[in-house]
């Protein structure tokens, strides 16, 4: 139904796609796989006309097409969720879903109908939020779901989903897959990108693997094993997938001194007062459902939002954080979930983004020597495998996963005493993810306190010594990670009290 | 606090301050309570209002249009030259002038969008161009005694209570209503907001970014030309030195009205209030009538500051 | 007259702005004279914008002042608002600049100077000075702000006079925006690109003063190598004339406050006044400048 | 060839090329245009004039560059120019001995001090109160002009002070002092910004304010510093302008210079949406504008057509600088060549947005 052949796309200095072929069939889910920077998103943008293609052919239903822009692609029945949430933060949720095809009456936009219909659509995705709410104030996960809601509503023939699940938890993923399967059964062709191997195998019928902008191969899901798939992606031999994954943590840290402790810290309208302590050398994972307040909790600890009640002790002194700067000065680092809005400065280079926090702490008068900056940048480029491995590349030009690595590098570099990571592995490929998990373990071993947030419960359980559970913006439980299984945690979440 | 949508807070704040300033004026100056004083703010600023409404569209997309003042001047000169010197009838002249403004806007919008040049420079070049064209047409100021222009200029629109508006002011009110409708109830309007929120996202969402951006500058050019026509009614003359620096007044009105210069947030109603703020400041100063030239400027600056500080304060408190 | 406050006269005065020292002297004179004459003055500064002036006049009407006076920013475009004044029975006095309305009933009288005549005076001086010079007389002209009435008129008057003889040639003409800094900058460029220059005609003194510095910088003697004639007659210019750097200054008198107040009183009392009153103005050569210098106030 | 091509890729190549064309135009009309003579022991010539009259604009634009890099804009520079000149001249005119160096230095110090205070005020409004920069500085633009007139009493204050003349109209080592001062400031700024971390932090604050806050950058302080610096530059430019004509004109000094300054910044390749900035580009932009002005004089373009000419040149510079425009031009002839340079990403992604 849709086929692309001989696709080539060059950016200044980088060949992002080189002679790539890709095809889709109605009633099938086709997964596009590859490491960070392999060219998946670029292929999608080439398909929808968001990028001009340098060479190659695209045909839809047998006739050659070349879209001048996403508008045309949409009109031709291709509906897309791009990787970075590409919505308008200043508009309401409902508008983001319907803009461009608002329900109208007598030629004017019918606002009530729009609100009602979007509420309905959101319910279909199990999302209960006010359609009138400004999108920018919603968490990344919600934004991702809104983008999906926007895409699935069109009477499209092709649905393209670029990492739609990167910040969704298991429940939402299940809901999404339900929707996707229905659409597939109605004969829609679906392109799906994800770094979660299990998800890919759970949903897709066919897979295409890219590596370094080149086509590796196309496989039927039933004819390939996860190990082979990963091997195709990373291009090296693997015995088992476990080779990539570090062993699971057990509760440790024992009786090391407490580094951070809150007593009834809270903020009206954001998060209920909570009491939590984190020891040096201990990784505390935060588990909870979408909107349970994990992000809000960690923002309070970092002073990104100001607490209006309770107290916080960092190290030896009780502090009242008025700004992130105050937190940083006391050895706290915070890697935010929304890398685009809160994290990276896209106009600056990889090097500059990496040293930014360190430089901010030193103040403007004591610049890091250029040579030192390069050393630091290079060491993280190597460790986290940032591609392209060029410290002078502009961060805005990097692929999503690589951007995330840069952000992470910035905070690892500051060598904090408490490292807060909000969805640090969002959009990162399995190889690098394992690397990061290993790194966290090492850091903790060296005495760093870590607060770890992830929508992927597995991951939380793998890296943390302790798991704190949130529900309805309150901390409901905290348990040592001994023999914990995802089900046990989910049970706690569901019940809203200690298991 | 009442559950007022935070987006409307700046507007509510501005209304409150405007009221306070008005009450202050009524208490201090005898003739101030005359309802005509308020209406005159509208009558005297009708052209600014129209220009500012056009500017609102542009700023909402995150752009800026510096050419409006010059386009206003060009429009007045064109009106005068075409009627007085070329002898064309007003019914022909006015459409020609409006089309010229729209065309200039269209040109600038196209260059801005298709060649990706910053709006600031393009419209600055447009500003030079329009003023240069006005000079080329005439460096003298030209009086007009065309029947239609005179009639429109001098026919008051009676209101109850012995008050009256001008036809220009009525046109300005219509423009405001049309603009509010466009922005709130049409796809064009919503796309304007979307582009202001994030141009790239708007593009990826499949919105007609190119068309909308060009349209927005066309609207602004049209509004500027219309403002020029209204100014021609107002002064019954054409003068190439008209409206120097008007672009700043227009931008100020838009921004005081709560529209964010980066785009994406704001309302036409805010712009109306912004124009009223500027007009009221001026009226207060004229009524005071004792300030020297420099104290006049200082007072304008200080009152502007007060308005904005109060606005911020109210918004802060309410949050 | 209106029904303003009791027995004293209220005068609404809408000034152009404060764009030059000349204008400020004009404003000061009006204020001082109003105070001396016991007239209550409502003053408004239009910042060079006609719209603002119209607004001011409108608000004067609202406030029912007894007399309105204003220096129009431009000549045209006053009919509507002046009709309103007429309807409200408030007499209007024009100062400094005239308006071109055919309906002269809209104002009682005009008090001010004739810019075209000033240009002619400058031109006449040039023709006298170079009457018997051989060959072409090469003239550089520093114009005022493009499109402004004094610039247009002074240019026109000057051109009228020198246009009679082909030997006078304007070899360079550019706007200096009525300021010293621009006058200097433009003159520097003239000196390099326009070749020999015999006379400089500046539309106001400030540009001439700036040009003098440029001429000196080029190693020439202002007033000798290049003759200079300018308009206005501010103190610094008379000083320069006395020092031999400017040859001729055409006066444009800003001090019309006392004359204005006389007219205002008469108009308010309903007396008949002449439709046009000229301000007393002269012109200075270098000797006259030296003599006038001690009592120059502006 | 390759050298040429890599030169052509440099983002300042095109403005520089336009400037060269303008200069060539001048030479064609006035053959002596490039000649630089030594007169009374100092350099004299049209090129020197361009630098000399361009010096104040360079200064103002220099300050403006950093403000623009933080996503701001400073409309008040014109007023600051007027105020600082007025303050200095007022002070000097009241000295018993106008030629006293100490007195003049004090005047300069006070004037710059006042400018600094005004800059701090702008910075305060923008960073602490959180007013949008264009409005915050509009306040000072309006009121500041009034302040300048208040200081001068609406008249022109003429001073007669040798030492004061030096700054704007005098010569050091045969070179106009204003050029030396302006270049000195440019060098100082470049050093300050690129040798310290200030430049990077400014670009970060301009590029993404929220991310910068979360990275622990003191954005407020940086904003204040930047506005203060901008006002300081404007103040110095004001001194230069007033010293050049030995007088202070509170009404007209620096009128509309903010537009020229912003234009210089933008022509120099800095985006008004903040982020990356280029001091060298700004200097080039300012010189381009001054060359344009001078060209108008030498070509003898009548004042009523000056603006048309300016519109033409500005449009030409912008178009030729725009990668999209060049791509469109060359797409007609041959397949597109990849554009390179500073705004790689912008060039690439924006081109897509345009489609
Ligand atoms: N606008 C651009 N300019 C320059 N290079 C780009 C641009 N966009 C993408 N690239 C480069 O193209 C390559 C492919 O990027 P792409 O975003 O397609 O990767 P991806 O497979 O989606 O990776 P991820 O899993 O991290 O999202 C990367 O090397 C990236 O640096
Ligand atoms: N279902 C929901 N209903 C209402 N508000 C929600 C919901 N989900 C998220 N939000 C809002 O989104 C914002 C972000 O929530 P927060 O990011 O703290 O949640 P989280 O636990 O980090 O979840 P996420 O997985 O979405 O990141 C909060 O303002 C929260 O109120
Ligand atoms: Mg991707
Ligand atoms: Mg979260």
């Amino acid at each position: 139904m849709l086929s692309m052949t001989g696709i080539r796309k060059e950016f200044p200095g980088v060949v992002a796609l080189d002679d790539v072929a890709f095809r889709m069939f109605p009633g099938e889910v086709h997964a596009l796989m590859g490491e960070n920077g392999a060219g998946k998103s670029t292929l999608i943008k080439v398909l929808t006309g968001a990028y001009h293609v340098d060479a190659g052919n695209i045909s839809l239903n047998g006739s050659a097409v070349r879209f001048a822009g996403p508008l045309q692609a949409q009109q031709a029945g291709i509906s897309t969720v791009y990787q970075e949430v590409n919505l308008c933060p200043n508009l309401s949720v409902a508008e983001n879903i319907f803009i461009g095809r608002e329900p109208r009456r007598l030629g004017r936009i019918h606002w009530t109908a729009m609100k009602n219909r979007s509420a309905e659509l959101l319910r279909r995705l199990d999302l209960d939020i006010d359609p009138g709410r400004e999108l920018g104030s919603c968490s990344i996960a919600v934004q991702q779901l809104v983008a999906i809601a926007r895409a699935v509503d069109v009477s499209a023939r092709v649905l393209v989903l670029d990492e739609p699940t990167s910040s969704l938890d298991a429940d939402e993923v299940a809901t999404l897959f339900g929707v996707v399967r229905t659409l597939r059964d109605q004969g829609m062709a679906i392109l799906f990108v994800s770094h979660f191997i299990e998800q890919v195998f759970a949903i897709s019928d066919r897979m295409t693997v890219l590596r370094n902008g080149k086509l590796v191969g196309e496989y039927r899901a039933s004819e390939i094993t996860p190990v082979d798939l990963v091997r195709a992606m990373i291009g090296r031999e693997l015995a088992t997938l476990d080779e990539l994954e570090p062993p699971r943590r057990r509760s440790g840290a024992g009786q090391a001194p407490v580094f951070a402790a809150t007593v009834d810290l809270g903020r009206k309208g954001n998060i209920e007062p909570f009491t939590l302590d984190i020891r040096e050398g201990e990784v505390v994972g935060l588990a909870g459902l979408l909107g349970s307040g994990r992000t809000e909790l960690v923002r309070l600890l970092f002073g990104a939002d100001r607490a209006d009640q309770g107290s916080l002790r960092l190290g030896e002194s009780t502090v009242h954080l008025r700004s992130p700067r105050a937190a940083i000065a006391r050895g706290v680092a915070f890697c935010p979930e929304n890398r685009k809005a809160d994290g990276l400065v896209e106009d600056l280079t990889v090097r500059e983004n990496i040293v930014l926090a360190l430089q901010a702490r030193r103040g403007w008068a004591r610049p890091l020597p250029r040579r030192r900056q390069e050393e630091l940048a290079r060491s993280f480029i190597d460790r986290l495998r940032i591609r392209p491995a060029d410290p002078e590349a502009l961060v805005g030009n990097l692929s999503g996963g690589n951007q995330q690595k840069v952000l992470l590098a910035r905070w690892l570099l500051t060598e904090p005493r408490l490292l807060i990571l909000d969805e640090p592995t969002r959009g990162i490929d399995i190889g690098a993810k394992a690397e990061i998990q290993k790194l966290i373990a090492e850091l903790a071993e060296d005495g760093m306190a870590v607060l770890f947030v992830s929508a992927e419960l597995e991951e939380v359980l793998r890296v943390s010594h302790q798991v704190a559970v949130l529900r309805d913006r309150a901390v409901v439980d905290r348990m040592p990670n001994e023999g914990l299984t995802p089900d046990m945690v989910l049970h706690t979440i569901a019940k809203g009290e200690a298991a | 606090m009442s559950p007022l949508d935070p987006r409307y807070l700046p507007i509510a704040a501005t209304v409150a301050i405007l009221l306070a300033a008005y009450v202050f004026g009524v208490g201090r100056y005898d003739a101030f309570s005359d309802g005509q004083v308020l209406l005159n703010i509208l009558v005297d600023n009708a052209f600014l209002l129209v220009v500012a409404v056009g500017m609102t569209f542009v700023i909402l997309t995150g752009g800026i249009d510096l050419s409006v003042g010059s386009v206003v001047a060009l429009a007045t000169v064109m009106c005068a030259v075409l009627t007085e010197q070329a002898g064309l009838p007003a019914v022909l002249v006015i459409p020609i002038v409006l089309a010229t403004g729209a065309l200039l806007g269209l040109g600038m919008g196209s260059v801005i969008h298709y060649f990706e040049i910053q709006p600031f420079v393009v419209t600055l070049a447009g500003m030079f161009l329009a003023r240069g064209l006005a000079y080329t047409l005439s460096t003298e100021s030209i009086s007009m005694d065309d029947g239609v222009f005179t009639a429109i200029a001098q026919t008051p629109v009676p209101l109850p209570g012995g008050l009256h508006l001008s036809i220009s002011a009525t046109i300005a009110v219509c423009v405001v209503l049309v603009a509010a409708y466009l922005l709130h109830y049409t796809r064009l309007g919503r796309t304007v907001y979307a582009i202001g929120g994030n141009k790239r996202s708007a593009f990826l969402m499949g919105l007609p970014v190119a068309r909308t951006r060009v349209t927005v500058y066309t609207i602004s050019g049209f509004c500027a030309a219309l403002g020029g026509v209204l100014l021609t009614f107002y002064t019954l003359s054409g003068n190439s030195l008209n409206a120097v620096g008007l672009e700043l007044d227009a931008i100020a009105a838009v921004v005081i009205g709560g529209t964010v210069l980066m785009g994406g947030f704001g309302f036409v109603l805010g712009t109306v209030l912004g124009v009223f703020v500027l007009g009221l400041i001026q009226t207060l100063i004229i009524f005071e009538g004792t300030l020297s030239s420099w104290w006049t400027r200082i007072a304008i600056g200080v009152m502007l500051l007060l308005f904005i500080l109060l606005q911020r304060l109210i918004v802060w408190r309410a949050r | 007259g209106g029904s303003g406050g009791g027995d004293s006269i209220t005068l609404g005065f809408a000034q152009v702005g404060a764009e030059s020292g000349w204008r400020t002297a004009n404003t000061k004179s009006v204020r001082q004279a109003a105070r001396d004459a016991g007239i209550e003055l409502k003053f408004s500064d239009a910042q060079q914008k006609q719209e603002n002036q119209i607004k001011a006049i409108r608000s004067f009407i609202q406030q029912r002042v007894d007399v309105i006076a204003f220096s129009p920013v431009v000549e045209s475009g006053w009919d509507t608002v002046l009709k309103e004044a007429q309807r409200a029975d408030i007499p209007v006095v024009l100062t400094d600049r005239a308006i071109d309305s055919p309906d002269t009933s809209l104002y009682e009288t005009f008090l001010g100077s004739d810019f075209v005549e000033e240009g002619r005076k400058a031109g006449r001086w040039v023709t006298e000075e170079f009457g018997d010079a051989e060959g072409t007389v090469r003239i550089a002209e520093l114009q005022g702000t493009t499109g402004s009435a004094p610039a247009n008129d002074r240019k026109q008057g000057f051109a009228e006079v020198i246009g009679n003889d082909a030997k006078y040639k304007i070899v360079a003409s550019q706007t200096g925006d009525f300021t010293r800094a621009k006058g200097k900058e433009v003159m520097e460029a003239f000196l390099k690109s326009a070749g020999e220059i015999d006379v400089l005609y500046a539309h106001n003194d400030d540009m001439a003063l700036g040009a003098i510095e440029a001429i000196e910088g080029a190693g020439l003697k202002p007033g000798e190598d290049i003759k200079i004639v300018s308009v206005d007659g501010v103190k610094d210019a008379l000083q320069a004339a006395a020092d031999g750097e400017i040859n001729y200054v055409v006066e444009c008198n800003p001090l019309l406050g006392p004359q204005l107040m006389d007219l205002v009183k008469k108009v308010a009392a309903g007396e008949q006044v002449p439709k046009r009153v000229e301000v007393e103005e002269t012109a200075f050569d270098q000797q006259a400048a030296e003599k006038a210098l001690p009592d120059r106030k502006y | 060839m390759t050298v040429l091509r890599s030169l052509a890729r440099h983002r300042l190549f095109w403005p520089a090329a336009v400037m060269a064309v303008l200069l060539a135009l001048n030479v064609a009309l006035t053959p002596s245009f490039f000649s630089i003579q030594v007169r009374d022991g100092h350099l004299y010539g049209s090129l020197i004039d361009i630098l000399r009259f361009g010096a104040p604009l360079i200064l103002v634009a220099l300050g403006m560059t950093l403000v623009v890099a933080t996503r701001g804009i400073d409309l008040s520079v014109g007023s600051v120019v007027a105020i600082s000149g007025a303050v200095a001249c007022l002070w000097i005119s009241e000295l018993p001995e106008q030629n006293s160096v100490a007195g003049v230095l004090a005047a300069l110090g006070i004037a710059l001090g006042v400018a600094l205070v005004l800059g701090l005020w702008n910075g305060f409004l923008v960073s602490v109160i959180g007013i949008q920069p264009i409005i915050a500085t509009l306040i000072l633009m309006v009121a500041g002009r009034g302040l300048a007139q208040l200081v001068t009493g609406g008249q022109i204050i003429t001073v007669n002070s040798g030492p004061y003349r030096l700054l704007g109209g005098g010569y050091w080592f045969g070179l106009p002092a204003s050029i030396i001062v302006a270049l000195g400031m440019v060098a100082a700024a470049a050093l300050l910004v690129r040798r310290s971390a200030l430049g990077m932090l400014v670009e970060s604050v301009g590029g993404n304010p929220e991310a910068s806050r979360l990275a622990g950058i003191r954005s407020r302080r940086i904003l204040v510093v930047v506005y203060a610096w901008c006002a300081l530059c404007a103040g110095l430019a004001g001194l230069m302008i007033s010293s050049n004509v030995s007088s202070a004109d509170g009404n007209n000094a620096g009128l509309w210079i903010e537009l020229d300054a912003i234009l210089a910044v933008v022509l120099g390749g800095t985006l008004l949406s903040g982020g990356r900035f280029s001091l060298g580009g700004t200097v080039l932009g300012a010189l381009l504008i001054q060359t344009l002005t001078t060209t108008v004089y030498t070509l003898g373009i009548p004042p009523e057509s000056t603006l048309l000419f300016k519109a033409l040149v500005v449009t030409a510079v912008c178009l030729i600088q725009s990668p999209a425009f060049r791509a469109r031009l060359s797409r007609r002839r041959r397949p597109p060549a990849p554009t390179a340079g500073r705004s790689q990403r912008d060039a690439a992604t924006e081109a897509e947005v345009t489609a």
Side-chain angles (χ1 to χ4, degrees), chain A residues 40-41 83 162-163 399-401:
Chain A
K40 305 179 292 292
S41 302
Q83 172 172 19
D162 192 356
E163 300 200 24
S399 77

Side-chain angles (χ1 to χ4, degrees), chain B residues 140-202:
Chain B
E140 309 272 335
S141 77
I142 308 164
S143 310
M144 304 174 61
D145 49 13
D146 177 271
V148 177
F149 273 94
T150 320
I152 297 181
Q154 296 178 348
T155 313
V157 177
L159 293 179
L163 305 173
H164 59 87
L165 275 179
S166 63
I167 292 184
S168 299
T170 324
I171 295 178
V173 171
C174 295
V175 168
V176 168
L177 294 178
V178 170
Y181 178 83
L182 277 180
L183 282 177
H184 197 65
Y185 285 114
T186 65
R187 287 193 182 159
L188 170 79
R190 301 325 293 174
T191 309
V192 165
Y193 280 92
I195 293 176
N198 190 332
K199 197 166 61 160
R200 194 161 167 75
S201 293

